[in-house]
Amino acid sequence: MTTPQISSTTTLTSNNAPFAFPPTYSFPPFFTPQPNSTTRLSQLQKWSSLVQSWCRHHKTYRLSLIEAVESPLFHNAALRKRVPLAEARDILDWMAESEENGGGGRRVEWIDGGNKTVAWVWWRRPEEWAGILADWVENTGQKNVVLTVYELVEGEATMSQEWHGMDVDVMMKSLNILVKRGKAQVFGKEGQEGVKFF
């Protein structure tokens, strides 16, 4: 199996274990939009689950659609089946919608607005990361301690944490949620931010 290309929009972990695709990935109709609305909804839900699992496995926070349609995520070489760019965009559009609007629960956020070529994939939403960070701060006695954002993302103390190596923009979004909740303060200039947890 080939691994996705590394670019400025893709972050991969050192996880060398192969990604385990679900059984539906070996089913040719999975790669073609289904005309029946019930079947289509099921298909979109399965694609959402696959995209999130793929990104989590590879620690990908930003997904470039142009690269993704060439990767095994949307291209099953064994079946000679590929999701076209427009369909991949439709899948991510559905993932970006709220569940109340019949969508995938805001698991995607377009980074480049109307161009819709690069998106955040929220296999954990910033609110979820904020909760995980707050728990870690509590459990490790980091309250009233000043840490740099770099230490949180790349430091030895966080090597065992799921967010280690996280995209800095995602970390900042998560920290800003803690700031709004009164649980943290972020200070310093861009690229050299510090954070104090309360």
Side-chain angles (χ1 to χ4, degrees):
M1 181 180 116
T2 60
T3 56
Q5 297 176 7
I6 297 172
S7 76
S8 61
T9 57
T10 305
T11 305
L12 296 183
T13 177
S14 57
N15 182 357
N16 291 325
F19 178 74
F21 285 94
T24 52
Y25 185 78
S26 298
F27 188 51
F30 186 53
F31 291 83
T32 306
Q34 297 301 301
N36 176 286
S37 60
T38 304
T39 309
R40 177 65 170 162
L41 177 60
S42 174
Q43 180 183 37
L44 289 168
Q45 290 168 338
K46 288 174 181 167
W47 270 114
S48 176
S49 178
L50 173 55
V51 169
Q52 289 177 64
S53 297
W54 170 269
C55 289
R56 184 176 194 164
H57 178 83
H58 293 293
K59 293 193 101 173
T60 298
Y61 298 90
R62 298 178 196 226
L63 189 68
S64 163
L65 267 191
I66 292 164
E67 291 175 12
V69 295
E70 297 300 324
S71 78
L73 173 59
F74 289 120
H75 180 207
N76 185 329
L79 289 180
R80 294 186 181 167
K81 287 288 191 180
R82 173 192 311 269
V83 171
L85 183 62
E87 168 64 1
R89 187 174 286 120
D90 287 347
I91 291 166
L92 267 60
D93 266 341
W94 182 83
M95 291 175 68
E97 289 292 323
S98 69
E99 289 173 353
E100 296 83 38
N101 292 336
R106 298 196 187 283
R107 287 293 173 181
V108 160
E109 180 183 336
W110 293 108
I111 295 173
D112 57 349
N115 292 331
K116 296 185 177 183
T117 58
V118 182
W120 296 115
V121 175
W122 301 129
W123 38 279
R124 285 198 194 274
R125 293 183 193 98
E127 299 82 13
E128 294 168 319
W129 285 120
I132 290 167
L133 284 164
D135 289 346
W136 177 79
V137 166
E138 186 72 40
N139 295 335
T140 58
Q142 301 289 336
K143 281 190 174 182
N144 297 310
V145 174
V146 175
L147 298 167
T148 65
V149 172
Y150 179 82
E151 284 176 302
L152 285 171
V153 172
E154 300 291 344
E156 284 185 32
T158 65
M159 286 183 76
S160 64
Q161 301 305 311
E162 188 180 17
W163 74 77
H164 188 80
M166 174 185 277
D167 185 296
V168 172
D169 290 337
V170 176
M171 177 60 75
M172 292 305 297
K173 282 176 175 280
S174 304
L175 290 172
N176 285 330
I177 288 164
L178 291 176
V179 169
K180 287 177 186 168
R181 294 177 182 168
K183 294 189 173 189
Q185 177 186 4
V186 176
F187 50 87
K189 59 184 180 181
E190 191 173 335
Q192 298 179 351
E193 295 93 346
V195 59
K196 185 175 183 178
F197 296 98
F198 309 114

